[in-house]
Amino acid sequence: MDLTFSAEENEFRDELRQWLAENHPGDEPRGDDDTTFEFRKDWQRSLYDGGWAAVQWPQEYGGRDATLMQSAIFFEEVGRTRAPLPANVLGLLLAGPTIMAWGTDEQKERYLTPILSADEIWCQGFSEPEAGSDLASVKTMAKRDGDDWVVTGQKVWTSGAQYAKWCLLVARTDPEAPKHKGLSYFLLDMDQPGVQVRPLVQITGEAEFNELFIEEARIPHENMLGGEGDGWNVALTTLMNERSGLGFFLQIRLRQLLDQLVEEAVRNGKIKDPVIAEAIGEIEARTEVTRLTAYRGLSTIEKYGQPGPEGSLTKWLWSETNQMLVQLAADVVGPEALSADSKWAYELLRARGNTLEGGTTEILKNIIAERVLGLPRK
Amino acid sequence: MRFDFTDDQQEIKRTAKEMLASRSTLELVRSAAESKAYDPDLWKELCDLGWPGVAISEEYGGGGLGVVELAGLLEEGGYALAGSPLLATTACGAAIQEAGSEQQRETWLPRLATGEATGTLAIAGELAPDAAEADVIVLIESDRSGARLLAGDQASVSAVETIDPTRRYGIVTAEESAGEEMPGDPEAALAIGALITSAELVGICQRSLDVTLEYVKDRKQFGRPVGSFQAVQHKCARMLFQTEAARSATYFAAWAADADRDRLIEGASLAKATASEAGVEVTGSAIQAHGGIGFTWEADIHWFFKRAQLDAAYLDGTKPHRRRLAALAARKVTSPA
Ligand SMILES: Cc1cc2nc3c(=O)[nH]c(=O)nc-3n(C[C@H](O)[C@H](O)[C@H](O)COP(=O)(O)OP(=O)(O)OC[C@H]3O[C@@H](n4cnc5c(N)ncnc54)[C@H](O)[C@@H]3O)c2cc1C
């Protein structure tokens, strides 16, 4: 174990700091979803141009081949300077790693760079009305027709589908096979008449996620990721990346939000209230622990190439801590925290989704019990 | 001892539940929330039934029943998530009855009892229900040191749109010279408001639990109802545990308000500390047990979460009330009765 920085790592940090100082886009504009999205897209473009969009990716796809420590430094600096999120989060954290793990050379060549540059936005078409926690029971059907697959079905809760060019799609290709074995994984082009996106309004009042109605959409066979019948395993790669990778990414947001809460508590004097101080201390500890656990997860990825089921711990820890934090804001910030359209109120409501998206906390606990601890299944 | 409603009280509560089940359906709650306007006929109906005056004594034109009856009504109001100035107006009436001068009571209580006037109870600088529309406001200083009575036009109220569109809110402030001082104890003025808000939270918890149970029995994943998974069962069991804890504390406080005045303030803090925490947690669990559906605007469960957040914060949340309980506990030890 060595948690100090080498000269080379410090150099990396200095270069990044300087780049951020020159290119930081400032705070996100308050406005509708589209304005925010465009802002994040421009920001990702500028990260890409600077070579910073995904430092840990291979150089040939626009990354820097960064070491674990360097990517940790990257995320710390982004957090410290409160830089916004990039637009193509699901592309960077889900599509990219899944394609790197399972894609052919042609697929990597074709898809990875536009993910980094945000020229092509991605979404995740896993969940269906009848298949949420029980993902393996998806009903969306893909039938072979010459060189194409013809897909019909319905997806739900598809975040960012309104902006997406591509969708990571899990569909059933063999209805006769046992449920985990009959699935295949596709890269679906959203720009076609067979794909309709209908926004779903969330408890926050905005429509971040959508329903997808897929009616005889066509997917060329070359857009299958992994082999026929590999869908479940490919989907697991995506999910493991979602739980550890996204958790890693989002702990930076947690840090940013906590810093803002502490600032507020110092400003209005509530930090002197021992009850508030204790609660902030608890969240401070949990936030740090989330960060450290996420870093250890990065080490595992470096060692084994892919995140393991332990990543579920990061996601659980992150989502629960975030909910505690935004709830505490109601005590610390006062009336503004509950006012419509305030940042804190948005976070309070949005955080309720954290323990659902990417696998509910109950499912994560099942996975930890069964796959990490090896406890017997029912 | 009988820790339960009397037959008469039971009957009042049952009638209220029935009435609200048809007059404040979730469809109506939704349309009121989305149009940001109360149903004026509902308020009129509640007034005709005498709800605003239930706990105001007969000498001031009220129904002369007690806080127990009032708490029962507000619990049902919470269960139905009814949109009306009932909580605000009864909290105001109770505060005037507790802490007002004889003349202040004579001036305002008869009008509040019929619902001809509406009121609110507000802590300066904090969110209070139905403040901008109130004809009369009991304003508690932010350090809780005193209470003042203001006619609506003597206060400055900024209406605030909150995350809870099922109810109207505002923040009240006033010039130091505005209105009249109230001679009574501001703590007592706050106590009944806090305990009836707890009663509303109990109703919100109960409804969230009922709606959730129905959902998890019906929703199937892995070929069985999600309610058959132990994780979901334990979550629901905890929801009940918290709801019942809030209920015990709230009923005790309501009884103390009517029958054991020395314990009113303690009871109110006990109720509000417990119910605020329960409200926030139980409604959050309800969303979780619904899965993705629970996170949509289209499902109704979020209205309960949002109202619970506002009720939890109103007249102080769990932390300050626990602090008060600790102080009271310390006082008991150092100066035994
Ligand atoms: C904000 C948000 C964004 C999302 N974005 C996407 C996206 O981009 N793409 C996508 O494909 N999906 C997305 N989802 C969907 C998400 O993955 C599902 O909501 C989640 O997997 C749960 O499925 P469900 O909604 O059908 O709930 P259900 O599976 O019906 O669950 C209902 C309840 O039962 C519990 N439960 C179910 N099975 C078990 C079990 N075996 N043991 C214990 N408890 C159990 C659950 O934990 C939950 O509390 C998103 C969801 C949200 C809230």
Side-chain angles (χ1 to χ4, degrees):
Chain A
M1 190 163 340
D2 177 11
L3 301 178
T4 59
F5 300 108
S6 65
E8 209 185 341
E9 283 157 356
N10 280 325
E11 226 169 82
F12 176 90
R13 184 192 295 271
D14 290 343
E15 187 189 345
L16 175 59
R17 278 197 178 170
Q18 183 167 358
W19 186 86
L20 279 171
E22 285 159 11
N23 293 279
H24 197 292
D27 288 341
E28 260 180 21
R30 299 279 303 264
D32 57 19
D33 301 351
D34 292 347
T35 320
T36 312
F37 179 77
E38 284 306 320
F39 179 82
R40 291 180 177 181
K41 199 168 167 182
D42 290 346
W43 167 234
Q44 191 179 336
R45 179 79 213 181
S46 131
L47 281 167
Y48 172 74
D49 290 339
W52 297 106
V55 291
Q56 71 283 11
W57 283 28
Q59 224 153 9
E60 53 177 318
Y61 306 121
R64 287 183 179 243
D65 283 313
T67 62
L68 156 72
M69 211 56 199
Q70 287 171 329
S71 40
I73 291 171
F74 174 82
F75 285 116
E76 269 180 12
E77 290 302 312
V78 164
R80 197 182 53 80
T81 59
R82 294 190 192 168
L85 291 180
N88 204 8
V89 176
L90 299 185
L92 288 169
L93 296 164
L94 307 189
T98 310
I99 292 170
M100 282 190 251
W102 289 88
T104 60
D105 288 344
E106 291 75 28
Q107 287 171 331
K108 292 183 201 166
E109 198 58 46
R110 164 65 188 83
Y111 295 108
L112 292 177
T113 305
I115 289 177
L116 278 196
S117 63
D119 283 330
E120 292 180 348
I121 303 297
W122 287 72
C123 67
Q124 178 190 18
F126 283 21
S127 307
E128 297 182 1
E130 301 300 321
S133 296
D134 185 13
L135 177 62
S137 68
V138 295
K139 292 200 180 93
T140 295
M141 280 294 303
K143 289 204 179 95
R144 189 72 190 252
D145 178 27
D147 286 342
D148 286 353
W149 290 87
V150 179
V151 187
T152 296
Q154 189 191 340
K155 295 288 172 180
V156 71
W157 326 124
T158 324
S159 307
Q162 67 272 45
Y163 305 116
K165 160 74 178 161
W166 295 101
C167 176
L168 303 168
L169 185 86
V170 179
R172 192 160 299 283
T173 43
D174 183 357
E176 307 303 323
K179 69 177 186 177
H180 292 83
K181 301 237 163 77
L183 302 171
S184 300
Y185 197 107
F186 297 95
L187 312 177
L188 164 74
D189 188 343
M190 299 283 284
D191 287 336
Q192 55 175 309
V195 181
Q196 297 297 326
V197 177
R198 188 190 298 162
L200 279 171
V201 182
Q202 303 174 172
I203 67 174
T204 54
E206 49 160 24
E208 196 184 328
F209 58 27
N210 305 271
E211 289 176 290
L212 291 192
F213 297 94
I214 308 172
E215 186 73 49
E216 307 210 329
R218 298 192 84 85
I219 306 179
H221 180 68
E222 66 195 38
N223 285 13
M224 184 183 273
L225 193 63
E228 199 175 325
D230 282 343
W232 179 251
N233 288 327
V234 185
L236 281 184
T237 301
T238 308
L239 289 173
M240 300 289 181
N241 275 286
E242 180 165 16
R243 287 163 195 165
S244 61
L246 201 58
F248 185 84
F249 196 75
L250 289 169
Q251 56 92 7
I252 292 152
R253 295 268 291 164
L254 186 62
R255 179 79 254 168
Q256 293 178 346
L257 211 55
L258 176 55
D259 286 349
Q260 290 169 38
L261 188 70
V262 175
E263 265 168 33
E264 185 61 31
V266 170
R267 203 186 54 75
N268 67 22
K270 294 238 172 94
I271 193 80
K272 297 202 195 91
D273 175 342
V275 178
I276 298 285
E278 199 264 355
I280 287 181
E282 180 182 12
I283 293 170
E284 175 68 35
R286 291 180 65 118
T287 300
E288 275 305 288
V289 167
T290 307
R291 183 174 74 89
L292 296 168
T293 310
Y295 282 178
R296 284 175 56 218
L298 277 189
S299 299
T300 314
I301 300 177
E302 203 161 61
K303 201 149 126 204
Y304 300 109
Q306 282 297 325
E310 304 79 9
S312 294
L313 282 177
T314 321
K315 202 246 159 184
W316 172 12
L317 192 55
W318 163 74
S319 56
E320 204 175 83
T321 307
N322 197 40
Q323 285 181 352
M324 289 169 67
L325 192 168
V326 297
Q327 189 63 55
L328 182 63
D331 291 327
V332 172
V333 177
E336 197 212 316
L338 298 174
S339 304
D341 303 326
S342 84
K343 182 191 71 180
W344 290 109
Y346 171 79
E347 298 290 351
L348 176 69
L349 298 174
R350 182 62 187 81
R352 298 321 305 186
N354 298 157
T355 47
L356 297 169
E357 56 200 320
T360 68
T361 302
E362 291 72 34
I363 293 298
L364 299 185
K365 290 180 183 173
N366 287 348
I367 291 172
I368 291 165
E370 289 166 10
R371 310 233 349 252
V372 181
L373 300 176
L375 290 170
R377 309 182 64 134
K378 268 188 294 291
Chain B
M1 180 160 101
R2 171 189 161 135
F3 200 156
D4 195 2
F5 293 109
T6 64
D7 292 345
D8 285 350
Q9 290 164 340
Q10 206 77 268
E11 185 56 22
I12 293 174
K13 208 160 164 277
R14 198 187 53 76
T15 331
K17 191 185 206 86
E18 265 172 27
M19 194 276 265
L20 290 169
S22 65
R23 289 294 289 109
S24 177
T25 60
L26 288 178
E27 253 180 335
L28 291 169
V29 168
R30 169 174 294 267
S31 74
E34 288 179 344
S35 62
K36 295 181 179 135
Y38 291 157
D39 169 1
D41 293 340
L42 176 62
W43 176 235
K44 200 176 158 299
E45 233 172 295
L46 302 187
C47 293
D48 289 345
L49 291 168
W51 290 15
V54 123
I56 291 175
S57 71
E58 279 166 314
E59 94 182 268
Y60 303 113
L65 297 170
V67 176
V68 171
E69 285 80 1
L70 176 59
L73 292 178
L74 280 154
E75 181 184 332
E76 295 308 332
Y79 190 87
L81 216 60
S84 82
L86 184 67
L87 173 67
T89 299
T90 53
C92 177
I96 295 173
Q97 189 155 278
E98 287 302 313
S101 66
E102 188 49 40
Q103 188 238 325
Q104 288 165 342
R105 290 183 199 157
E106 277 168 11
T107 312
W108 287 107
L109 292 183
R111 298 180 58 202
L112 290 171
T114 57
E116 170 202 335
T118 66
T120 197
L121 169 63
I123 297 173
E126 302 195 6
L127 290 165
D130 299 294
E133 300 75 13
D135 300 299
V136 54
I137 297 172
V138 172
L139 182 65
I140 310 288
E141 314 281 337
S142 54
D143 63 3
R144 318 305 192 254
S145 62
R148 272 182 300 156
L149 191 70
L150 302 143
D153 54 13
Q154 292 173 316
S156 95
V157 183
S158 52
V160 178
E161 248 185 59
T162 71
I163 59 170
D164 171 25
T166 68
R167 182 174 269 161
R168 303 176 295 207
Y169 296 87
I171 296 179
V172 184
T173 47
E175 303 269 316
E176 226 162 283
S177 57
E180 305 165 7
E181 272 192 28
M182 294 173 74
D185 176 7
E187 291 272 359
L190 280 168
I192 293 183
L195 88 85
I196 61 178
T197 307
S198 305
E200 184 169 284
L201 281 163
V202 170
I204 289 169
C205 288
Q206 186 64 53
R207 184 67 171 279
S208 303
L209 177 57
D210 290 354
V211 170
T212 300
L213 291 178
E214 214 174 295
Y215 186 80
V216 301
K217 283 183 209 162
D218 185 55
R219 167 71 173 171
K220 292 199 175 67
Q221 285 289 276
F222 304 95
R224 40 194 273 209
V226 294
S228 70
F229 296 115
Q230 202 166 49
V232 175
Q233 293 178 343
H234 284 187
K235 183 178 291 294
C236 292
R238 183 167 166 83
M239 289 166 77
L240 177 70
F241 168 94
Q242 290 180 301
T243 304
E244 290 302 327
R247 191 190 303 279
S248 301
T250 301
Y251 289 179
F252 164 69
W255 172 80
D258 288 339
D260 189 359
R261 307 287 306 182
D262 290 348
R263 303 185 69 187
L264 169 60
I265 289 176
E266 176 197 349
S269 278
L270 181 67
K272 193 63 179 24
T274 314
S276 294
E277 184 177 68
V280 164
E281 271 196 45
V282 168
T283 56
S285 295
I287 291 178
Q288 181 70 17
H290 278 71
I293 295 276
F295 195 63
T296 61
W297 188 266
E298 201 182 311
D300 288 310
I301 199 71
H302 69 109
W303 306 123
F304 292 91
F305 178 78
K306 291 168 176 175
R307 174 74 75 81
Q309 289 284 339
L310 270 292
D311 276 358
Y314 179 46
L315 307 179
D316 287 338
T318 297
K319 290 187 179 73
H321 280 291
R322 282 192 183 143
R323 199 177 302 139
R324 219 157 291 153
L325 286 174
L328 290 170
R331 205 177 303 164
K332 271 192 226 163
V333 181
T334 46
S335 55

